[in-house]
């Protein structure tokens, strides 16, 4: 049973008995948040990391089954080395703290993306976090790290082609469900709701296959300022829509 059922005072009433199973968030706007305050971009990423912690915990408390966040894309390596190093440092700090709290929080964690470019310590922390998570049931947080939707599809296509060459696959009988098992998100239901803060109106190579029928919610609020009330607004908007999946 979820720990949270009481509707808080908010301009966006939410029916917590009709939550989506899976929410995905593009955590965008950290740099602009810092710039508006005369701070280095790294300060924005630190603030964004705290927002992630708050929102992830809240999603668990209200009974959400899956939360997927876009933490670092395959294109983010193009950013200044100092900024990339700061982001990886924040990830290391978060994982060390998460491992220390996992027995209390009991949040499952998985990583979507190619972790091979990360340093050995980060890769070890990611593997350790996933291994501990295997013991838990309930809310699962998926962190997209060195992730790109096109890269994911190429990797899946190559893996399927390899299976076909080895006699383990048949391209004439490939279904969407079977192909989905080659994705980083294998075994995870597609997101029902994709949220993008920061005012940008694009998906930026995020969950291209999985978000085919997701509902989208865009807001001008920058990610470090994204609060529980902002999440309520997104959930209320989602609950006010009719999902027909191509039907009538």
């Amino acid at each position: 049973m979820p720990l949270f059922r009481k509707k808080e005072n908010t301009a966006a009433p939410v029916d917590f008995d009709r939550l989506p199973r899976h929410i995905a968030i593009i955590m965008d706007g950290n740099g602009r948040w810092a710039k508006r305050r005369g701070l280095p971009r790294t300060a924005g990423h630190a603030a964004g990391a705290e927002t992630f912690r708050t929102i992830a915990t809240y999603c668990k408390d209200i009974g959400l089954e899956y939360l997927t966040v876009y933490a670092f894309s395959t294109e983010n390596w193009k950013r200044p080395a100092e900024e990339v190093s700061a982001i990886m440092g924040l990830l290391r700090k978060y994982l060390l703290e998460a491992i220390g709290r996992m027995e209390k929080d009991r949040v499952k964690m998985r990583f979507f993306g190619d972790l091979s470019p990360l340093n050995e310590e980060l890769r070890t922390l990611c593997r350790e976090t996933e291994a501990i998570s295997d013991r838990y049931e309930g809310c699962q947080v998926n962190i997209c790290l060195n992730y790109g939707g096109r890269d994911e599809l190429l990797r899946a296509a190559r893996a399927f082609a390899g299976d076909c060459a080895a006699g383990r696959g048949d391209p004439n009988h490939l279904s969407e469900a079977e192909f989905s098992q080659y994705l980083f998100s294998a075994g995870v239901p597609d997101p029902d709701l994709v949220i993008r803060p920061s005012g940008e109106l694009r998906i930026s190579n995020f969950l291209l296959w999985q978000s085919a029928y997701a509902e989208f919610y865009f807001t001008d609020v920058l990610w470090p300022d994204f609060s529980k009330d902002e999440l309520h607004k997104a959930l209320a908007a989602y609950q006010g829509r009719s999902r027909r999946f191509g039907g009538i």
Side-chain angles (χ1 to χ4, degrees), residues 5-76:
R5 280 296 177 190
K6 182 173 179 267
K7 294 183 181 180
E8 296 186 357
N9 292 328
T10 172
V14 176
D15 183 349
F16 290 97
D17 291 314
R18 294 195 304 113
L19 292 175
R21 292 188 68 194
H22 184 178
I23 295 174
I25 303 177
I26 301 174
M27 302 186 295
D28 190 26
N30 294 340
R32 277 167 284 173
W33 182 91
K35 184 177 180 180
R36 291 178 185 179
R37 289 161 175 76
L39 300 171
R41 289 176 61 86
T42 52
H45 293 304
E50 288 304 311
T51 298
F52 163 65
R53 188 192 310 274
T54 298
I55 295 300
T57 301
Y58 185 63
C59 285
K60 181 203 73 165
D61 289 346
I62 63 176
L64 189 75
E65 292 184 56
Y66 298 93
L67 171 68
T68 300
V69 296
Y70 208 2
F72 192 85
S73 77
T74 49
E75 289 76 32
N76 286 157

